[in-house]
Amino acid sequence: MKNIIVCVKVVPKTEDVSFDPVTKTLDRSKAENQINEADKNAIEYALVLKEKYGGNVILLSMGPMFFEPFLKIGIAMGADDAILLSDRAFAGADSYPTALTLASAIKKIGDFDLILCGEESSDAGLGQVPSQVAEFLDLPQALFVSSVEIEGNKIKARRSVKGGYEIVELPLPSVISIELGINQPRFPDFKRKRWADKEFKIKVWNMKDLGLNENIVGLRGSYTFVNRFIETEPPKRLRRYIEGSPEEQAEKLYEVIKEIIE
Amino acid sequence: MIDAWVYIEHDSGEIEDVSLEIVGRLNEIKASLPLRITGFSFGRDPGEIPRKAISQGVEHFIFLRNDLFSFYDTQSYVNGIEGIVRERRPDIILLGATYQGRDLAGRLAARLKTGLAANAITLNIDEKGLLYTGVPGYGGRFIAEIVNMKARPQISTVRQGIFRKLPQDNSRSGEVENIEVKFGDFSPRLRVVERVRKDVKDITKSERVVIIGNGAGNNLKPIEDFARLIGADIGVTRPVADRGLAPRDIQVGSTGVSLNSKLVIIFGSSGSNHFVSGIERCKNVISIDVDRNSNIFNYSDYCVVADMFTILPYLNRRFGGQ
Ligand SMILES: Cc1cc2nc3c(=O)[nH]c(=O)nc-3n(C[C@H](O)[C@H](O)[C@H](O)COP(=O)(O)OP(=O)(O)OC[C@H]3O[C@@H](n4cnc5c(N)ncnc54)[C@H](O)[C@@H]3O)c2cc1C
């Protein structure tokens, strides 16, 4: 097997993001960042495939330079290489220019058999990048996949459909999105982490390296704009505690449920 | 006239509810705007699909016919619809945020060089035909209202269980076009070799739902008994579905479904944002968790701090079980 490319994003922890009611914007400044959960599942899956079929795992991410240490976590998990697509012009991209930029980098890498993505990111959660990367590369796709087997130059992938799953057969290379939560991502290897932090150099490619221009990347290359943010008001709940011994609690709960049902 | 198309997704002729829910919402908008609602489907044989869709508020139906459409391959479907979209230039294309709808929408938007919003929970259109979609982010804590002023069609997927479909009315009429799609030398590179599916309950419409959280471990039986005794359907949190104990279709939350129940009872969930966004629209919420500080209690009307396995036997007996 040749290279497995894994598309990775760094996202703020959901719980840490707050809403500024005055400016009506999101405040991510106090948020801790992490590798997007589904992408971690994809990295883990790529490493499993590498162990089984060989090849190198290359992490690919578009984002600011502060993504570097997160990509090194992926390296410490066992990935062989990491490429960060970083350029001021890439900022503010919606899914279209994001996928276009990733696809340009994948073309530049050239030598690959499989592209894995996480099913969606935990921030915007659109889940559209895998499909659009596949379109820009003119490759077949299978999304929401929980396992992959490779036989010769064919892949058998299990993808979720309503009420169950399908086993689909695709050629290599193809684009696959990995379902969130399908595995337990391994911990970074301690020694490898030290090596990665000290010696490993992440490749950084900018717009020129990819042969792109300002009009098709980042905010200018985007089609959608956020008109406004609305903070959702969770509905007011009674928050009434039912206390007592378990038996008493059960009895009170019975009364409450009865009343609601009737 | 604003031209809005809705993907009428079907599985062997059975239409997805979310497709009709979108049609329902467009009919509400149509009350105050000149809007034409077109449905489109792919398949081998239209059967009853166009008639059913029309009886639920579609005014014009396009059925794209080809033998290749008997299974779902993203590229076949995108190639199949591309020509007619380019020719007729709809202002808006909406799809249900199902597995298939989400798979199709991204590729279609990239092909048509246009923007895309996903998983919308609000839909509005202004008199200029601009589509405003409310897209939940960060597990549903915020809604970003998204608009595409740059290109047409404006494409979005729409979350299921949010809008109401119209009651069926067989006296509604509409025009049906059957179009035979010609592919030239394209042949699909994806092949479905096996299909395993069960009918699953659509819990977005259930009046009572009992939710199994991760705190239940692998011991689902007492909760399932309880649900049966009070006549409730079962839902689960994400980790329970991840562990394969329940199908993803009954997972509640930002990557699952949203409930609209009168009563929901939750056993052993920590109440993360990604989960609670799915119970926002429920009328009465009861939670049972051993941890007094569980965040789920902030989203509950009745809070029971208890070990579920201690309390469930009493409850089940009280409701007439063993
Ligand atoms: C992109 C993304 C999307 C996601 N989408 C969803 C989604 O759609 N739906 C969803 O649910 N999650 C989703 N999640 C996951 C979510 O963030 C949480 O991890 C998940 O909801 C936790 O599930 P839980 O509350 O059941 O489990 P836990 O967080 O493990 O909580 C278990 C609870 O059970 C209690 N407990 C333990 N034992 C007992 C006992 N014997 N009796 C009573 N209580 C007990 C504990 O005190 C604890 O509060 C998503 C995450 C991401 C990143």
Side-chain angles (χ1 to χ4, degrees):
Chain A
M1 173 113 120
K2 290 186 268 184
N3 295 321
I4 306 173
I5 299 173
V6 189
C7 299
V8 175
K9 183 180 187 183
V10 176
V11 294
K13 282 196 173 153
T14 302
E15 267 71 13
D16 293 351
V17 177
S18 57
F19 186 74
D20 184 334
V22 181
T23 60
K24 303 233 182 289
T25 52
L26 299 188
D27 181 3
R28 306 183 186 106
S29 61
K30 288 178 219 67
E32 210 181 299
N33 291 295
Q34 60 185 11
I35 302 176
N36 180 48
E37 274 187 57
D39 301 350
K40 255 190 154 168
N41 295 125
I43 297 174
E44 173 62 31
Y45 205 74
L47 295 171
V48 169
L49 290 176
K50 173 191 157 111
E51 284 157 10
K52 226 165 140 184
Y53 304 106
N56 282 328
V57 173
I58 304 175
L59 307 179
L60 176 65
S61 185
M62 182 188 90
M65 292 307 289
F66 83 78
F67 279 21
E68 271 196 316
F70 295 95
L71 293 178
K72 287 189 174 179
I73 295 173
I75 294 292
M77 284 170 73
D80 299 281
D81 208 350
I83 301 165
L84 179 60
L85 312 176
S86 205
D87 197 307
R88 289 193 94 89
F90 294 161
D94 71 0
S95 63
Y96 189 100
T98 301
L100 186 72
T101 306
L102 290 170
S104 308
I106 293 167
K107 280 184 197 152
K108 188 174 155 86
I109 297 168
D111 195 29
F112 59 87
D113 261 344
L114 201 57
I115 296 159
L116 299 186
C117 304
E119 73 166 66
E120 65 172 49
S121 61
S122 65
D123 50 356
L126 302 185
Q128 300 299 340
V129 165
S131 200
Q132 302 201 318
V133 166
E135 170 65 16
F136 291 132
L137 295 170
D138 191 25
L139 292 178
Q141 67 185 69
L143 307 191
F144 312 106
V145 166
S146 57
S147 73
V148 173
E149 269 171 51
I150 297 171
E151 291 161 11
N153 58 0
K154 285 212 158 71
I155 317 171
K156 269 196 181 146
R158 176 179 157 145
R159 73 173 175 196
S160 288
V161 298
K162 188 181 183 194
Y165 65 88
E166 283 175 349
I167 308 288
V168 294
E169 199 178 80
L170 308 91
L172 290 176
S174 283
V175 177
I176 302 285
S177 87
I178 294 290
E179 240 182 17
L180 173 69
I182 61 151
N183 54 29
Q184 288 283 355
R186 66 195 65 188
F187 284 105
D189 179 80
F190 184 69
K191 267 205 201 128
R192 226 180 129 74
K193 179 79 172 64
R194 275 224 314 236
W195 166 78
D197 286 341
K198 275 210 193 104
E199 287 173 44
F200 180 78
K201 275 258 168 309
I202 290 174
K203 293 191 184 80
V204 180
W205 291 349
N206 63 22
M207 187 174 70
K208 283 218 185 76
D209 295 325
L210 298 178
L212 298 170
N213 70 65
E214 285 94 350
N215 296 321
I216 54 173
V217 298
L219 190 62
R220 278 168 72 180
S222 297
Y223 288 94
T224 57
F225 301 89
V226 176
N227 188 43
R228 58 184 176 137
F229 279 108
I230 308 159
E231 184 176 27
T232 55
E233 286 253 359
K236 289 255 175 303
R237 296 292 180 191
L238 301 174
R239 298 181 59 193
R240 203 167 284 160
Y241 280 78
I242 296 180
E243 310 278 4
S245 71
E247 198 173 353
E248 287 162 357
Q249 284 177 312
E251 184 57 36
K252 288 181 201 160
L253 200 48
Y254 170 79
E255 297 297 335
V256 169
I257 294 170
K258 266 271 167 250
E259 197 178 309
I260 295 170
I261 292 181
E262 267 150 27
Chain B
M1 185 71 87
I2 302 161
D3 201 7
W5 289 17
V6 182
Y7 175 40
I8 304 295
E9 184 179 338
H10 70 98
D11 189 352
S12 316
E14 190 80 36
I15 298 177
E16 283 290 333
D17 263 351
V18 62
S19 306
L20 300 174
E21 290 164 9
I22 299 169
V23 172
R25 174 63 189 140
L26 290 178
N27 272 280
E28 282 172 20
I29 296 172
K30 191 181 154 70
S32 54
L33 274 185
L35 189 69
R36 180 161 120 123
I37 306 167
T38 295
F40 66 96
S41 289
F42 304 82
R44 244 182 169 141
D45 166 24
E48 293 289 285
I49 298 166
R51 197 191 53 77
K52 275 193 217 156
I54 287 167
S55 75
Q56 303 222 245
V58 166
E59 297 164 285
H60 166 222
F61 200 94
I62 299 173
F63 190 84
L64 299 157
R65 208 215 73 80
N66 191 294
D67 285 349
L68 285 182
F69 297 145
S70 56
F71 67 91
Y72 178 67
D73 166 49
T74 322
Q75 285 177 294
S76 312
Y77 278 40
V78 171
N79 292 349
I81 186 81
E82 182 186 358
I84 185 149
V85 171
R86 289 197 193 281
E87 178 195 315
R88 313 242 177 128
R89 303 163 172 272
D91 299 291
I92 293 168
I93 300 180
L94 299 171
L95 308 88
T98 56
Y99 285 115
Q100 201 181 93
R102 288 153 68 195
D103 186 298
L104 182 59
R107 194 146 190 157
L108 183 62
R111 176 74 56 88
L112 297 170
K113 293 198 168 43
T114 188
L116 171 71
N119 224 1
I121 57 170
T122 64
L123 283 180
N124 292 290
I125 302 172
D126 73 9
E127 57 296 335
K128 289 195 262 9
L130 275 181
L131 172 72
Y132 295 82
T133 48
V135 173
Y138 296 97
R141 286 179 63 204
F142 310 105
I143 298 172
E145 194 175 66
I146 298 210
V147 58
N148 166 5
M149 290 185 239
K150 243 165 109 173
R152 298 285 161 95
Q154 307 162 81
I155 304 184
S156 183
T157 62
V158 178
R159 194 170 163 80
Q160 71 187 90
I162 303 289
F163 300 111
R164 250 196 293 273
K165 52 183 180 181
L166 295 183
Q168 189 165 340
D169 175 356
N170 291 326
S171 70
R172 286 198 181 93
S173 64
E175 178 200 347
V176 179
E177 282 183 80
N178 282 304
I179 298 178
E180 180 73 30
V181 174
K182 302 217 171 50
F183 275 119
D185 55 7
F186 168 82
S187 64
R189 288 179 279 177
L190 175 143
R191 205 166 61 87
V192 176
V193 289
E194 193 188 336
R195 192 147 205 263
V196 180
R197 38 180 311 277
K198 280 194 256 170
D199 280 338
V200 282
K201 180 100 198 175
D202 173 11
I203 59 171
T204 65
K205 296 181 180 70
S206 303
E207 189 166 278
R208 299 169 203 164
V209 176
V210 164
I211 290 179
I212 305 175
N214 200 25
N218 293 325
N219 189 6
L220 312 189
K221 175 90 182 8
I223 309 179
E224 287 167 349
D225 288 345
F226 173 69
R228 193 164 17 81
L229 289 167
I230 67 162
D233 293 315
I234 300 265
V236 298
T237 62
R238 174 116 210 170
V240 178
D242 284 349
R243 284 189 282 127
L245 296 172
R248 191 70 75 200
D249 311 76
I250 60 164
Q251 175 196 310
V252 176
S254 64
T255 46
V257 296
S258 294
L259 302 178
N260 298 286
S261 316
K262 184 172 176 205
L263 172 64
V264 57
I265 307 179
I266 303 156
F267 289 92
S269 165
S270 59
S272 83
N273 293 328
H274 281 287
F275 169 67
V276 295
S277 60
I279 56 166
E280 240 163 42
R281 299 148 68 90
C282 296
K283 197 129 179 265
N284 298 284
V285 179
I286 301 177
S287 298
I288 295 94
D289 199 295
V290 268
D291 180 2
R292 188 171 283 273
N293 297 319
S294 172
N295 194 40
I296 195 64
F297 293 138
N298 294 323
Y299 299 90
S300 304
D301 294 300
Y302 296 95
C303 314
V304 184
V305 183
D307 182 334
M308 68 176 97
F309 297 111
T310 315
I311 201 164
L312 272 164
Y314 291 116
L315 269 178
N316 285 346
R317 225 168 296 144
R318 199 64 183 80
F319 279 99
Q322 295 296 310

